Amino acid sequence: EKLLTVLIQTSPLPSHPSTALLEALFRSFDRVDGLKEAHIIILADGCECEEETSSTENFKHGTVSPETRANYKQHLQLLQEKIVNRQAPFQPLKNGTIQLVKLPYRHGSARAIAAAFNMQPSIISTPYILIGQHDNFFVRDVAYLASLLRYMEDESWLQCVHFPSTATLNYVTKVKRRYQLDISKCCVGYNGGSFIPLVFWYGRTHLARSSYYTDFILTQCPN
């Protein structure tokens, strides 16, 4: 039985219809032991098309030109073909799977995650979920994913773990300098390092209990 679902969020980009960005992301998955053995979902948000030209496009808010929308549609078609044909790097390992899920209209990041959890039939049935963006790569080897999942199985207090990023380098020192908070006493040792509490929720790749999303995070998301 699978423990982990990987949910990767994507949306329109100026580089479309190229699939190069997601290809680079999936190549970075090879750095993480066992990640391609999970159920991987590429969650493609919808977009709004209100402008006749690209001069006022707002990719962050999902408002794009007809040309960009057409490129995005072509991008998703190319992506689906590569997944079906198991074209590298879209090649799951062992009993892993890769699935493209397209949302019919723009949701934005938080509501897109909520939509994924609320889909019927369910596409997320594992006790753990790893959520990331299409441009958040693994740049170092991660050999501890399996042990981290085992640790979370045994330690019910641990609900969510964010992987290190530039925003969280030297985090204890940054927090003390900027906010006069000493979080060093709250750190918990693990595998030669430590779990460090976050004072903000960062939009970076993270591993969480699925129940943490359904029972807490998504209940805080306004309709």
Side-chain angles (χ1 to χ4, degrees):
E1 183 180 359
K2 286 189 177 70
L3 287 177
L4 180 65
T5 295
V6 178
L7 185 69
I8 299 301
Q9 295 185 272
T10 192
S11 55
L13 292 170
S15 61
H16 291 160
S18 170
T19 60
L21 186 68
L22 281 171
E23 289 174 21
L25 175 68
F26 270 71
R27 282 193 293 270
S28 83
F29 286 178
D30 293 331
R31 288 182 169 272
V32 186
D33 289 350
L35 193 59
K36 283 190 172 180
E37 299 172 19
H39 175 41
I40 302 175
I41 299 169
I42 302 173
L43 184 65
D45 203 359
C47 58
E48 299 173 0
C49 186
E50 298 179 350
E51 304 293 337
E52 293 300 322
T53 68
S54 60
S55 60
T56 56
E57 287 184 311
N58 189 324
F59 287 93
K60 184 176 181 180
H61 294 98
T63 302
V64 301
S65 68
E67 179 182 5
T68 297
R69 182 171 64 174
N71 288 340
Y72 184 47
K73 182 178 180 180
Q74 184 182 357
H75 162 78
L76 295 178
Q77 290 172 341
L78 290 171
L79 184 60
Q80 182 64 51
E81 291 172 5
K82 292 181 178 184
I83 291 171
V84 170
N85 295 325
R86 299 173 69 91
Q87 182 174 333
F90 303 107
Q91 296 169 321
L93 300 178
K94 295 185 178 179
N95 63 341
T97 57
I98 301 175
Q99 176 185 8
L100 175 62
V101 175
K102 294 181 281 188
L103 298 178
Y105 57 89
R106 183 185 180 276
H107 289 66
S109 180
R111 290 187 176 90
I113 294 172
F117 272 99
N118 292 329
M119 282 184 180
Q120 296 296 332
S122 176
I123 62 171
I124 300 172
S125 58
T126 55
Y128 298 95
I129 186 161
L130 186 149
I131 298 180
Q133 303 288 335
H134 53 198
D135 56 354
N136 287 163
F137 305 151
F138 287 96
V139 298
R140 295 183 180 178
D141 294 341
V142 178
Y144 55 81
L145 180 61
S147 66
L148 178 56
L149 287 169
R150 288 193 297 269
Y151 184 92
M152 293 181 74
E153 285 280 275
D154 296 334
E155 301 289 339
S156 59
W157 65 269
L158 186 58
Q159 298 293 315
C160 182
V161 178
H162 287 236
F163 289 91
S165 68
T166 54
T168 54
L169 290 176
N170 303 313
Y171 193 68
V172 172
T173 301
K174 285 181 180 178
V175 170
K176 189 170 185 178
R177 184 178 67 247
R178 294 177 183 176
Y179 310 111
Q180 291 74 55
L181 294 174
D182 184 4
I183 59 174
S184 62
K185 299 177 182 179
C186 302
C187 297
V188 177
Y190 167 73
N191 197 30
S194 61
F195 294 116
I196 302 172
L198 296 176
V199 296
F200 294 106
W201 180 279
Y202 293 90
R204 297 294 185 269
T205 304
H206 57 277
L207 172 68
R209 297 179 190 275
S210 297
S211 59
Y212 182 58
Y213 261 91
T214 56
D215 299 345
F216 179 68
I217 295 297
L218 296 179
T219 64
Q220 310 301 311
C221 183
N223 295 323

